[in-house]
Amino acid sequence: MKEDLLIAFILIYKNPELFEEVIEFQRDLNQHIDDKLKIDTKIACEKGCSYCCYGWEVKLTFSELLDFIKSLNNLPDNEKVKTAKRLEDYKSLKDITNHPCPFLNNNLCVVYPSRPFVCRTFSSYDKNLCKTKTPFEFPPILDQIIEDIKEKINILSDEFIPLFNTKTSVKNINFNHKDKNFFVNLFDTFILTSENGSIILKPYKLAEKFISKI
């Protein structure tokens, strides 16, 4: 799977305009999810309700990671530093039970528009069940949403599908305190970050070895 992901990133590295195309496709998926969830008026989730943001390690697809990094680096510098501190503290924990997501601040996600699928779809009909950590069944509409997303992803070229179905942990996100930029090391081949509002790939240690193969 590592090789499949690297092929996708190498193709994007050689054709940087593909970055925005991948991000736009992911945003369309996100919008589809949001629109579908709005149909179910029984869902109790609302702004400031953050019970589901505690006690578990968020994972996101590499396509979601692109917009996630971009949104993190669009934060004001003081907010980036505060968020980086929470992330570093989070990584050092041996037990995250009852500990908030590092991207949660005052019960709000600092990159809410770019939140991943797992956060976007965590929905409940009763906030008290979330508050008391009582097991509950997710709204039935989520089954249809999952099928819709699978169908939409399957129309992509085979080379780019791994970006949309392979996940990584938020713990793999790092922060460069000198440049005040969040980044991810992609298998020692690229550094994924953003500058001036644009996603970029910086060749790293093993870049030449892999780039030459594509």
Side-chain angles (χ1 to χ4, degrees), residues 8 10 19 21 23 30-31 49 53 61 64 71 80 83 88 93-94 111 146 167 170 173 175 194 197-198 202 212:
I10 290 170
F19 261 134
E21 291 185 23
I23 289 175
N30 293 344
Q31 189 61 57
C49 176
C53 302
T61 64
E64 292 171 329
S71 293
K80 285 197 278 189
T83 301
E88 289 161 0
L93 295 172
K94 293 182 179 180
V111 285
I146 291 171
K167 294 184 178 182
V170 294
I173 297 174
F175 186 68
S194 68
S198 297
K202 295 182 177 181
S212 61

Side-chain angles (χ1 to χ4, degrees), residues 16-210:
E17 68 278 4
L18 291 175
F19 261 134
E20 289 304 320
E21 291 185 23
V22 172
I23 289 175
E24 282 305 312
F25 191 89
Q26 182 60 56
R27 286 177 177 172
D28 287 343
L29 294 180
N30 293 344
Q31 189 61 57
H32 178 78
I33 294 169
D34 293 347
D35 291 343
K36 283 287 188 179
L37 288 175
K38 287 178 182 177
I39 295 174
D40 193 337
T41 58
K42 295 179 182 179
I43 292 177
C45 307
E46 59 183 3
K47 186 176 182 178
C49 176
S50 59
Y51 299 119
C52 63
C53 302
Y54 285 74
W56 52 292
E57 183 180 339
V58 173
K59 294 186 178 182
L60 66 171
T61 64
F62 281 86
S63 58
E64 292 171 329
L65 179 63
L66 301 181
D67 203 27
F68 200 86
I69 288 288
K70 188 174 181 179
S71 293
L72 282 174
N73 284 332
N74 281 339
L75 294 172
D77 281 353
N78 64 323
E79 289 301 318
K80 285 197 278 189
V81 172
K82 292 177 183 177
T83 301
K85 178 62 168 61
R86 292 196 301 271
L87 178 58
E88 289 161 0
D89 290 346
Y90 180 83
K91 289 182 180 183
S92 68
L93 295 172
K94 293 182 179 180
D95 182 4
I96 61 172
T97 303
N98 297 322
H99 197 84
C101 171
F103 305 107
L104 187 69
N105 185 34
N106 294 324
N107 290 325
L108 296 174
C109 177
V110 297
V111 285
Y112 185 78
S114 302
R115 68 198 185 282
F117 178 88
V118 67
C119 303
R120 195 174 292 272
T121 59
F122 199 102
S123 306
S124 169
Y125 288 150
D126 187 344
K127 286 194 294 184
N128 286 325
L129 296 179
C130 301
K131 181 178 181 179
T132 59
K133 299 187 182 302
T134 303
F136 62 86
E137 291 187 6
F138 288 112
I141 196 170
L142 290 183
D143 291 333
Q144 181 58 56
I145 288 174
I146 291 171
E147 291 305 312
D148 290 348
I149 297 304
K150 287 180 179 178
E151 184 175 335
K152 290 177 180 295
I153 290 175
N154 282 337
I155 69 170
L156 296 170
S157 299
D158 290 345
E159 298 92 338
F160 297 104
I161 289 180
L163 294 174
F164 292 84
N165 61 18
T166 309
K167 294 184 178 182
T168 188
S169 170
V170 294
K171 288 185 176 181
N172 290 322
I173 297 174
N174 300 293
F175 186 68
N176 184 321
H177 286 270
K178 180 181 178 181
D179 297 335
K180 290 186 172 56
N181 260 4
F182 288 92
F183 70 93
V184 175
N185 180 341
L186 298 173
F187 316 112
D188 280 342
T189 304
F190 293 106
I191 295 298
L192 170 68
T193 186
S194 68
E195 294 179 358
N196 301 317
S198 297
I199 286 286
I200 60 172
L201 283 176
K202 295 182 177 181
Y204 198 44
K205 297 176 181 177
L206 303 178
E208 186 176 344
K209 172 184 176 181
F210 289 100

